[in-house]
Amino acid sequence: MQAILKAVFGRLQSNTKKLPAKPRFNSKTDEIQLDRNIYKDIFGRAVPDAEQQFYPPKPVGLSVFQEEAILDRYQDLIAQLEKTVKIGSHRKANDGRSLFEARYVDVIYRLASYAHMLPASEYHHHSQPGGLFRHSLESALFAVQQADNYLPPTTGAVDLDEQRRTRYLYATWIGALMHDTGKLITDLRVYPHTVFDAEKNVSVSILDWNKPVSPWVPHLAPLTEWAKKNSVDRYMVHFRERSHKQHDNSSVILLPAVLQGEGLEYIMESPDNLYGLLHDALAGYTHDKDYLSNMIRYGDSLSTSNDMKYIATASFGVVKKSKMLNIVNLIRALRHQWTFNDNKAQAWVIGETVFLRWEASFHSVLKSAKEQRVDDIPQDTNTLLLMMEDHGVTRRYDKNNRSVLF
């Protein structure tokens, strides 16, 4: 076998020549064209997004859309929110605009300037462009719909409870809207891909730009402001390594930047310290049992579980995820929770091999699937293991042993 492979590779190497540009025929002149990176359809037209339709797609970065464009794209969710909160168009804010626009849309607009087109995760839920913004809108909508069925803790005074109730609904919406914004600080690194040369009216690669542009720092300015200041028209995203749920404690950092004006005044007018409760819920909603945390957690879980069942593609729209892809995504997300190479570890890494601990790691996957409401995977560890083996995700230690004792 080695001799055969050597001969094959040798023959390939000896005959390897630099390939010419792929010829393309001009339908009008029947002459061969050598235009590179111009892909035409059967009607002879250049296809502008051709590179994104081939596999693997060519990275082109994320466009710096105006905030208005992003809100317009998700107008369906904003319309559902308006029906849910039931603020009539006749009600006006102090500046004469509709109360819904001042209290809700202004907040969504400011969130769009930060979350923009960023994904909510690298491999888990809402991992496509715009995923974080959509997940935020969905979570907030689901949370406030759920909260409308429950009363916040009573003060014992009917008039005070009535003032608090509508404000608690609003605080629920804000908390769920903001619950993942900590990822902008802990998980994501945004850097320029192309910049707009105003003098030449063209986009140029950041590699050809003669001015240094630092990555975006959310503490200093919204993403759109950073982009305008540095002439960035497309950006790229890198996911950092971080400890599990570290972003939860960071979600409160951007709260003052997003919650301003009418919305902030509305919460501050609550008879109790609602702003402080909102602050605490953002920091601990994953485990706290208070009213706000329960509702935020519900909205987050429902949005996540809905998205885990499907994957959005540019060419084919929204398609259902395979069972195995769901399992792999769950494991990828769990790696931030798991410990490695100790007595209670869920996994061991030895050389280039990862050993999953039986049955602890598999119970962890099933628990996560239940929490995320991923209901199309096996519910017992043995079936889960067999399915992973069948699909080549895991393999036996050797021919006679599925596992090995350390």
Side-chain angles (χ1 to χ4, degrees):
M1 178 64 72
Q2 290 179 350
I4 295 175
L5 290 176
K6 183 177 180 181
V8 170
F9 286 131
R11 185 164 61 251
L12 286 173
Q13 184 176 10
S14 62
N15 293 337
T16 299
K17 297 180 181 180
K18 186 177 180 180
L19 295 175
K22 183 179 178 180
R24 296 177 173 83
F25 289 92
N26 186 312
S27 59
K28 295 182 179 179
T29 64
D30 291 330
E31 294 179 356
I32 295 178
Q33 297 182 357
L34 297 179
D35 299 333
R36 293 180 180 273
N37 300 322
I38 297 178
Y39 302 94
K40 296 182 179 180
D41 64 14
I42 60 174
F43 304 105
R45 301 171 302 181
V47 179
D49 64 340
E51 285 287 2
Q52 283 65 64
Q53 295 188 43
F54 288 104
Y55 186 85
K58 181 180 179 180
V60 296
L62 298 172
S63 296
V64 186
F65 293 106
Q66 297 177 345
E67 290 91 344
E68 292 85 354
I70 296 176
L71 266 64
D72 185 63
R73 177 61 178 80
Y74 299 106
Q75 189 59 43
D76 59 329
L77 290 173
I78 298 175
Q80 291 182 53
L81 174 65
E82 188 171 13
K83 291 180 179 179
T84 299
V85 299
K86 302 181 180 71
I87 296 181
S89 58
H90 64 283
R91 299 182 63 184
K92 305 295 181 182
N94 293 332
D95 59 6
R97 294 182 300 147
S98 74
L99 189 57
F100 178 77
E101 182 179 354
R103 189 173 295 173
Y104 288 90
V105 178
D106 281 2
V107 173
I108 296 173
Y109 183 96
R110 285 190 287 269
L111 176 66
S113 70
Y114 282 91
H116 206 256
M117 293 295 294
L118 297 170
S121 65
E122 186 173 11
Y123 303 115
H124 200 211
H125 66 93
H126 296 87
S127 58
Q128 300 297 315
L132 177 58
F133 187 69
R134 184 173 183 88
H135 174 55
S136 299
L137 291 181
E138 288 179 348
S139 299
L141 176 62
F142 298 151
V144 76
Q145 288 174 340
Q146 177 77 348
D148 197 30
N149 299 315
Y150 297 87
L151 293 174
T154 182
T155 62
V158 176
D159 56 339
L160 292 181
D161 283 353
E162 184 58 29
Q163 291 181 42
R164 293 168 69 249
R165 172 169 164 72
T166 54
R167 287 173 172 82
Y168 268 69
L169 288 175
Y170 184 69
T172 293
W173 179 77
I174 289 291
L177 190 76
M178 297 292 296
H179 80 279
D180 258 357
T181 55
K183 292 181 177 180
L184 300 175
I185 296 170
T186 61
D187 291 26
L188 302 173
R189 183 178 178 85
V190 175
Y191 55 95
H193 182 60
T194 60
V195 293
F196 178 64
D197 188 335
E199 293 183 1
K200 299 180 181 178
N201 195 34
V202 295
S203 294
V204 299
S205 168
I206 188 64
L207 300 176
D208 300 322
W209 193 236
N210 56 8
K211 301 176 183 178
V213 180
S214 300
W216 173 49
V217 180
H219 307 72
L220 301 179
L223 187 150
T224 51
E225 185 177 321
W226 162 80
K228 289 177 183 177
K229 180 181 178 181
N230 295 283
S231 300
V232 176
D233 62 356
R234 285 180 182 264
Y235 58 88
M236 298 291 284
V237 183
H238 169 71
F239 279 85
R240 304 171 177 175
E241 287 292 330
R242 48 103 176 157
S243 59
H244 178 61
K245 294 296 183 181
Q246 180 183 353
H247 69 272
D248 294 340
N249 296 325
S250 302
S251 294
V252 298
I253 294 176
L254 295 180
L255 181 61
V258 176
L259 179 59
Q260 301 176 11
E262 164 65 32
L264 178 59
E265 292 177 9
Y266 188 57
I267 284 185
M268 298 304 293
E269 290 171 355
S270 180
D272 53 5
N273 182 24
L274 183 54
Y275 186 87
L277 296 175
L278 172 60
H279 189 282
D280 293 343
L282 275 173
Y285 76 91
T286 57
H287 53 270
D288 289 347
K289 304 300 182 182
D290 61 280
Y291 176 89
L292 292 179
S293 295
N294 287 338
M295 301 307 154
I296 295 171
R297 190 163 55 247
Y298 174 86
D300 174 32
S301 176
L302 183 55
S303 172
T304 298
S305 63
N306 287 345
D307 188 72
M308 288 288 289
K309 300 173 183 177
Y310 303 95
I311 184 170
T313 66
S315 298
F316 305 111
V318 178
V319 296
K320 190 171 183 178
K321 288 182 179 178
S322 68
K323 294 179 182 180
M324 193 49 53
L325 180 58
N326 280 329
I327 294 171
V328 171
N329 285 341
L330 286 169
I331 295 175
R332 283 171 167 170
L334 283 168
R335 78 176 191 270
H336 298 297
Q337 300 181 40
W338 285 358
T339 57
F340 295 84
N341 293 19
D342 62 36
N343 291 334
K344 296 182 178 181
Q346 286 84 6
W348 286 71
V349 181
I350 302 176
E352 296 182 354
T353 304
V354 178
F355 293 86
L356 297 180
R357 185 170 193 161
W358 179 260
E359 295 178 72
S361 62
F362 294 86
H363 280 308
S364 178
V365 172
L366 294 180
K367 180 182 177 182
S368 180
K370 184 177 180 180
E371 291 173 349
Q372 304 296 339
R373 302 185 184 183
V374 181
D375 54 8
D376 61 345
I377 67 172
Q379 296 303 304
D380 66 279
T381 54
N382 285 296
T383 306
L384 177 62
L385 173 59
L386 291 174
M387 179 179 289
M388 293 170 67
E389 285 185 353
D390 289 343
H391 286 80
V393 177
T394 61
R395 61 179 175 84
R396 292 170 175 265
Y397 178 70
D398 57 33
K399 182 178 180 181
N400 299 316
N401 298 282
R402 174 173 279 117
S403 61
V404 61
L405 295 177
F406 290 103

